[in-house]
Amino acid sequence: MGKGEFIIKRILQLLLTFFIILTILFFLFRLALPDPTAGLVMAGLTVEEQEMVRARFGLDKGLFEQYVIYLRNFVQGELGLSFHYKAAVFPILLEKLFNTMALMIPAIAVSYIIGPLLGVLLSWKRGSKIEITGIIGGLFLRSAPVFWTGMIFIMVFGIWWGIFPTSGMRTLPYEATSNLAKIMTLDYLWHLFLPMLTIAIYYLGLPMLIMRNTMLEIMGEDFIELCQAKGLSERRIMYKHVARNALLPVVTQAAITIGLAVGGQVVVEVVFSWPGLGREMIQAVRTSDFPMAQGAFMMMAGLVLVMNTIADLLYSYLDPRVVLKGGSR
Amino acid sequence: MAYTKKRSITARLKYFKPMLIAMTEPFKVIISDPLGRIGGIVFFAILLIALFAPLLATHDPNQMNEKIEGGLIPFAPGSDWQEYQVIGKSPLNDLFITEDSILAAADNGLVYKYTAATGWQEEEIAPGINLLAAATHDGLEIVAGEDGTLYLRKNELNWHKQEIPKQVNINDIAIISSDLAYAVGNDGLFLSWNGAAWEEIDTGVNRHLRSLSFLHQNDGIVVGDRGTILHYRDGEFQPPSFQSFTDATFRDLFSVSYYKPEQAFAVGERSTIIGYDGDNWRIMPNSESRTLKGVTHVSQQEAYAVGLRGTVLGFDGTDWETVPRVTRRDFRGITFTGEQGFIYGVEPYINELAKPSGEHLFGTTHLGRDIWSQVIYGSRTALMVGILAALVVNILGVTIGLIAGYYRGVLDNLLMRIVDIMYGLPLEPFAIILVLIFQPSIWIIILAIGLLTWRTNARIIRSQVLSIVERPFVKAARVAGASDARIMLVHITPNILPLAFLELAVAMGYAITAEATLSFLGLGPPQIYSWGTILHAARLSGAWRTAWWWVIPPGLFICITVVSVFLISRALEVLTNPRLRGGRDIAPGYQKSKDLLPDEQ
């Protein structure tokens, strides 16, 4: 199987999977809730507006026809009208997604820069106290529920010491003309610190231990022995030969983690009142805002799938043997 | 087939022997690994906590715990209100100050006496009876209470029970001189003491009389229920004159303070304050609304009234103003003599946000609920969800992995595509959607975890099955004519059980965290305690920002449980990867690394 063929196959697979997820979502919603606009009556929309929304969703038609309309709307980027905001869901979700990314990407970047470095240290100092401390520490950080560490950080840094804000993305009220303007400030960095720390600590353990394990595996390979025979210094062997080869699984894991983090760190957004996708979804559930919840879920699932595919493609690019094997990971 | 003889059940059972052996193997492995042993012991301890939760819990987790104590707040005019002090376990009903001692009557027949030399001393004189009144004069001490109980002593000798005409509650006493005292009680009772015997004086009313205050032996005021106010003058009772009649004049009055012939105050229900100017009683407006239980004068220009929920009102010569609260507990009265005064009480109150103590090991919530008991009961939910969800995950994962790996081909392809789809569904959002559509319940959480996380197990089991199917013994079984089901069950399953055990432990750790997370988001059922819901409640109340004892214990329990499960699964990896038993060394003095963390879900 050639490289191009592999990429095309993976992308087709991605589209098929996403299509099936959309289908599952459709039937889950339609079967459990025959009339999702019921919530609109309470929301106080006029009869015309209700009819408009019903027509937009095609609720007056048969189930299969509804399904086709649902798919067509999705392809056109029409995710419906939020009951709560009385506005189109998609632009709102895009902004929330940006906010989520503004939190997740720095956090994952921090953990995937520090984590592998610590991993190198652990494998280098194998069998020492440093390694044991690192492993046990990593284990504990990994087991602590992330919302709990977040609460404790807020309590200690935000309330007892009062050096970091306890919620939000910016000090209210603020004005920003664009998303970029919103994050190009010190105020944002100040708000970012605690939630970022919380997530970074949670994600730190995984790259650290992956790095350590892969390093130890590679250190047993023949070419390292050759390097030693050549008389290279230990530091040079470690960083130039071992670490470079051990980075591969860490890089692919980083891609998968970004995908998962968008949907997987709802709690952190809730704890820190970060105006992201996850918090929006929880609010949508509380206010029975079905189009919003559905749209947010589609966006999260789509991101997970895309990032998984990117991870696969990255892996095949970095390690061509994968393509020859032909399978997924 | 030539071999068709029916075999007995025991003969059939023997084919499961390898499976049974495979079942015990994991436990041996856990015990042989030092860290695994620690994990096993900790997990077993938490299992025991969950099993014996009702015994270990010190309180009902739903009970709003009340606290009863006899407390007082000393004050002196012109200075700040002092700290709230606890002097005993029974609420104080009356307190009388003299120059060198303080006498207090309390619930449950207790009397507290303070002298500078001894401090507060407790004495029980009338078991089971609440003492409502106390008075002292020149070595003479009288306390009285429910059901006509009245005790008297002179010069610190023994208390003597007094005979009185009516067996009703006595609410207040005033000693005028060493041979004259008055007392009021329920049903319009008014008693006079002549140094030897108690006599009833007819008041003309039959309402409960609550309080009396005398300027001298022939001039006093008595107040009681339904706005009763009586002036005692020269051995006779006279009805009062009101400036105006309003609803407030018919409210129950609980306390009176008669300072001089042209000034007196009476207080009662719904923050009623009535003032006397020598001729008329008049309603005095104020901004409070709670019942006032006590009033006292400090000077003509200064008076205080106290009541429920820590209410204190101060009189500045013309108006009553609210004094900032020292505590939110209910006061039963206030008294002032000479230079010092006391606010006393208190009613039972909700022991809210109490710090950890012997009574409440982890403190209490904002509703006075015991956090230790909640955390103990929470372990049941955590383990139940953890074990059930892990079983669902494992049964699904093993079955699907087994079928996919054994049959291969189209079926395998189909099942693995389903696994791919499952990888596209993030857990928390999916659970949120399920809760949106159905109702929050523990089963939704188990369902969400079970439906979504078998994907990893199925993949791992499948790859194991793929390699086992190629082994000679499977081929031999097939040649011998064994059915597919038999090969899968008898020949392959025992070989994947160790892996299944490992995956069970991994899934359990994951399920416990997931349950805590989903409950924290408020997706769990509100009536069941779990570590996540405790933290959810703490967050909802807003008190978590200061009440660290409410936040730390549940999270710590989650941590410890998950770490113990991690340690167990780490020990179990030896089963699935025999290289870990210390075979091929990669570097001198180095044992092949163990994957410490389970797969990222």
Side-chain angles (χ1 to χ4, degrees):
Chain A
M1 196 164 23
K3 201 163 232 174
E5 207 183 319
F6 178 73
I7 294 174
I8 290 168
K9 196 186 157 206
R10 287 299 287 124
I11 289 175
L12 283 178
Q13 231 172 47
L14 163 78
L15 291 178
L16 182 72
T17 315
F18 195 60
F19 166 74
I20 294 172
I21 288 179
L22 285 182
T23 308
I24 293 174
L25 210 56
F26 173 80
F27 285 102
L28 205 59
F29 267 88
R30 288 303 174 278
L31 294 183
L33 303 155
D35 185 7
T37 53
L40 287 178
V41 181
M42 278 191 284
L45 287 189
T46 64
V47 181
E48 289 80 37
E49 276 171 315
Q50 274 188 50
E51 286 306 314
M52 192 185 76
V53 177
R54 291 182 128 260
R56 189 176 283 184
F57 277 102
L59 285 166
D60 43 350
K61 303 188 176 77
L63 196 66
F64 181 74
E65 215 171 328
Q66 281 185 39
Y67 175 58
V68 173
I69 293 170
Y70 162 84
L71 290 180
R72 198 182 60 208
N73 278 343
F74 177 78
V75 172
Q76 290 167 352
E78 168 68 75
L79 296 183
L81 195 67
S82 161
F83 297 170
H84 180 67
Y85 292 91
K86 315 267 188 296
V89 163
F90 193 61
I92 299 173
L93 285 178
L94 270 187
E95 198 204 326
K96 301 293 174 185
L97 177 68
F98 178 84
N99 292 348
T100 296
M101 286 302 189
L103 169 63
M104 294 303 165
I105 290 179
I108 291 172
V110 166
S111 57
Y112 275 81
I113 288 167
I114 297 176
L117 289 176
L118 286 176
V120 172
L121 189 75
L122 289 192
S123 64
W124 198 343
K125 307 278 181 196
R126 59 178 181 273
S128 71
K129 282 218 172 81
I130 296 179
E131 193 198 15
I132 303 275
T133 328
I135 288 174
I136 305 256
L139 209 57
F140 260 96
L141 294 180
R142 189 74 194 164
S143 322
V146 65
F147 57 91
W148 182 65
T149 35
M151 281 169 99
I152 288 185
F153 281 156
I154 292 178
M155 209 157 68
V156 174
F157 295 109
I159 292 162
W160 293 353
W161 296 350
I163 49 177
F164 285 105
T166 57
S167 70
M169 195 174 171
R170 290 284 303 273
T171 311
L172 296 171
Y174 68 92
E175 277 177 30
T177 47
S178 69
N179 278 332
L180 212 57
K182 191 160 63 188
I183 63 165
M184 295 298 279
T185 54
L186 279 176
D187 187 48
Y188 155 76
L189 287 180
W190 189 49
H191 279 76
L192 176 70
F193 186 80
L194 281 187
M196 188 193 75
L197 189 68
T198 309
I199 300 171
I201 281 182
Y202 179 71
Y203 281 127
L204 193 66
L206 197 67
M208 178 177 91
L209 292 167
I210 290 178
M211 188 71 184
R212 169 188 168 275
N213 293 353
T214 333
M215 292 253 324
L216 290 174
E217 228 160 77
I218 290 169
M219 278 151 84
E221 301 221 2
D222 294 341
F223 74 95
I224 299 299
E225 224 164 291
L226 181 71
C227 289
Q228 281 163 345
K230 269 161 67 180
L232 298 177
S233 72
E234 199 181 352
R235 181 181 296 269
R236 198 177 158 81
I237 296 174
M238 274 293 173
Y239 282 105
K240 188 117 190 179
H241 295 274
V242 185
R244 187 176 275 190
N245 282 295
L247 268 176
L248 178 75
V250 174
V251 170
T252 51
Q253 185 59 48
I256 295 173
T257 307
I258 291 175
L260 283 171
V262 174
Q265 296 308 332
V266 174
V267 260
V268 177
E269 289 182 3
V270 170
V271 168
F272 287 93
S273 305
W274 192 269
L277 210 52
R279 189 159 162 268
E280 192 57 48
M281 192 168 174
I282 289 279
Q283 268 173 1
V285 169
R286 293 215 177 107
T287 54
S288 292
D289 191 347
F290 295 102
M292 185 61 98
Q294 183 178 296
F297 187 81
M298 282 178 190
M299 201 166 250
M300 289 174 180
L303 263 160
V304 172
L305 286 175
V306 168
M307 292 318 285
N308 281 356
T309 307
I310 288 177
D312 263 10
L313 296 179
L314 214 57
Y315 207 86
S316 73
Y317 175 72
L318 294 172
D319 188 351
R321 285 173 295 181
V322 174
V323 181
L324 296 176
K325 280 188 229 150
S328 50
R329 283 182 305 127
Chain B
M1 282 287 131
Y3 190 72
T4 49
K5 203 182 107 194
K6 277 263 175 198
R7 277 159 296 181
S8 67
I9 289 175
T10 44
R12 275 174 181 272
L13 273 180
K14 119 182 153 212
Y15 290 102
F16 289 94
K17 204 177 158 195
M19 210 183 287
L20 289 176
I21 291 170
M23 300 274 253
T24 55
E25 182 77 352
F27 296 103
K28 286 185 199 155
V29 170
I30 293 168
I31 290 167
S32 65
D33 180 79
L35 279 178
R37 213 176 306 150
I38 295 173
I41 290 168
V42 170
F43 185 75
F44 189 64
I46 289 169
L47 200 67
L48 286 182
I49 288 177
L51 282 177
F52 295 105
L55 295 179
L56 287 167
T58 51
H59 297 72
D60 175 357
N62 280 318
Q63 183 197 334
M64 295 161 92
N65 291 293
E66 289 194 335
K67 203 173 177 185
I68 299 180
E69 64 195 16
L72 44 77
I73 301 173
F75 70 94
S79 70
D80 287 336
W81 299 81
Q82 285 173 37
E83 279 292 297
Y84 177 79
Q85 295 173 6
V86 177
I87 62 162
K89 60 181 190 289
S90 283
L92 309 180
N93 289 311
D94 198 7
L95 191 125
F96 199 93
I97 311 169
T98 56
E99 271 173 22
D100 51 357
S101 73
I102 303 166
L103 183 71
D107 281 354
N108 301 316
L110 292 177
V111 167
Y112 295 96
K113 179 151 187 181
Y114 177 86
T115 56
T118 59
W120 285 101
Q121 301 244 308
E122 183 184 292
E123 190 183 353
E124 187 176 22
I125 62 170
I129 289 170
N130 294 335
L131 297 176
L132 305 174
T136 317
H137 180 86
D138 214 12
L140 173 70
E141 292 167 311
I142 301 174
V143 292
E146 292 175 333
D147 301 331
T149 311
L150 201 149
Y151 285 88
L152 181 150
R153 76 171 175 183
K154 286 176 180 166
N155 306 321
E156 304 279 319
L157 297 171
N158 289 334
W159 290 98
H160 294 287
K161 192 168 172 28
Q162 302 288 302
E163 288 300 321
I164 60 163
K166 253 185 179 168
Q167 304 304 309
V168 294
N169 291 0
I170 294 173
N171 295 323
D172 203 4
I173 305 171
I175 305 179
I176 310 297
S177 66
S178 51
D179 56 0
L180 180 62
Y182 297 117
V184 292
N186 284 3
D187 302 334
L189 178 73
F190 185 91
L191 297 172
S192 159
W193 183 67
N194 59 13
W198 293 85
E199 269 174 36
E200 188 175 357
I201 293 175
D202 183 29
T203 54
V205 296
N206 52 15
R207 291 184 179 136
H208 298 338
L209 301 178
R210 301 288 183 181
S211 175
L212 78 174
S213 182
F214 275 74
L215 280 182
H216 53 80
Q217 86 178 69
N218 286 322
D219 192 1
I221 298 173
V222 175
V223 299
D225 285 1
R226 306 283 298 147
T228 307
I229 300 177
L230 299 168
H231 288 263
Y232 180 82
R233 287 196 179 110
D234 307 321
E236 272 185 357
F237 281 102
Q238 298 166 355
S241 108
F242 286 105
Q243 179 124 44
S244 60
F245 282 93
T246 68
D247 284 348
T249 49
F250 295 105
R251 290 192 184 132
D252 292 353
L253 299 174
F254 294 115
S255 183
V256 60
S257 176
Y258 195 10
Y259 186 68
K260 56 181 191 163
E262 56 276 12
Q263 194 182 50
F265 295 121
V267 299
E269 279 186 323
R270 288 194 52 77
S271 196
T272 305
I273 302 178
I274 311 183
Y276 181 62
D277 58 8
D279 299 314
N280 289 312
W281 288 88
R282 230 159 12 85
I283 303 295
M284 305 187 82
N286 62 76
S287 57
E288 285 296 323
S289 61
R290 297 182 199 279
T291 294
L292 297 174
K293 286 292 190 81
V295 62
T296 193
H297 273 88
V298 170
S299 69
Q300 192 180 342
Q301 305 299 322
E302 192 177 0
Y304 293 100
V306 298
L308 302 187
R309 294 296 276 172
T311 308
V312 180
L313 285 162
F315 179 69
D316 58 7
T318 50
D319 294 310
W320 289 88
E321 300 287 347
T322 301
V323 175
R325 283 183 170 82
V326 179
T327 161
R328 299 193 72 85
R329 289 161 207 187
D330 295 342
F331 297 129
R332 287 189 176 181
I334 182 169
T335 185
F336 180 86
T337 310
E339 289 159 2
Q340 209 192 5
F342 292 96
I343 297 175
Y344 52 84
V346 297
E347 303 289 339
Y349 60 95
I350 299 287
N351 195 8
E352 57 189 31
L353 291 176
K355 288 191 174 177
S357 63
E359 169 75 12
H360 299 287
L361 290 175
F362 290 162
T364 59
T365 69
H366 68 310
L367 295 174
R369 290 176 175 156
D370 185 58
I371 293 171
W372 161 260
S373 307
Q374 292 190 351
V375 170
I376 293 298
Y377 274 100
S379 65
R380 291 188 151 189
T381 318
L383 288 193
M384 193 180 94
V385 173
I387 292 170
L388 282 182
L391 280 178
V392 172
V393 166
N394 230 34
I395 289 170
L396 277 176
V398 168
T399 315
I400 290 168
L402 193 61
I403 291 171
Y406 184 79
Y407 289 106
R408 288 182 277 189
V410 181
L411 195 58
D412 178 27
N413 228 324
L414 186 73
L415 290 172
M416 286 304 109
R417 287 297 78 75
I418 295 177
V419 167
D420 282 344
I421 293 166
M422 288 299 165
Y423 269 102
L425 298 174
L427 174 78
E428 284 165 32
F430 187 69
I432 293 168
I433 292 284
L434 283 184
V435 168
L436 173 68
I437 293 174
F438 304 104
Q439 286 299 312
S441 97
I442 210 161
W443 303 108
I444 288 290
I445 292 182
I446 294 175
L447 184 76
I449 298 170
L451 276 183
L452 284 196
T453 53
W454 58 267
R455 51 198 187 191
T456 322
N457 297 33
R459 266 191 186 177
I460 292 169
I461 297 283
R462 171 182 167 271
S463 60
Q464 181 91 349
V465 173
L466 280 178
S467 79
I468 292 173
V469 168
E470 297 301 323
R471 301 245 185 104
F473 66 88
V474 176
K475 287 184 176 163
R478 199 170 283 157
V479 169
S483 68
D484 285 346
R486 186 185 159 86
I487 294 175
M488 280 197 267
L489 211 59
V490 179
H491 297 280
I492 298 178
T493 309
N495 288 293
I496 55 171
L497 269 187
L499 190 62
F501 256 99
L502 168 64
E503 290 305 311
L504 188 73
V506 171
M508 191 149 72
Y510 185 68
I512 290 171
T513 315
E515 186 274 326
T517 307
L518 295 176
S519 300
F520 173 75
L521 289 174
L523 306 183
Q527 64 275 24
I528 291 177
Y529 283 104
S530 94
W531 295 328
T533 47
I534 296 172
L535 288 168
H536 175 65
R539 211 185 118 73
L540 268 192
S541 78
W544 65 279
R545 288 159 179 267
T546 44
W548 53 266
W549 56 89
W550 197 355
V551 176
I552 290 175
L556 218 52
F557 266 73
I558 298 171
C559 260
I560 291 171
T561 313
V562 175
V563 166
S564 76
V565 176
F566 269 177
L567 291 177
I568 291 173
S569 57
R570 181 181 170 279
L572 281 175
E573 293 207 339
V574 174
L575 276 178
T576 59
N577 192 352
R579 277 200 303 171
L580 300 182
R581 290 184 200 213
R584 201 184 72 179
D585 274 6
I586 289 163
Y590 162 68
Q591 206 179 347
K592 168 85 172 69
S593 66
K594 299 171 178 184
D595 271 336
L596 275 152
L597 291 176
D599 299 277
E600 173 77 337
Q601 295 276 0

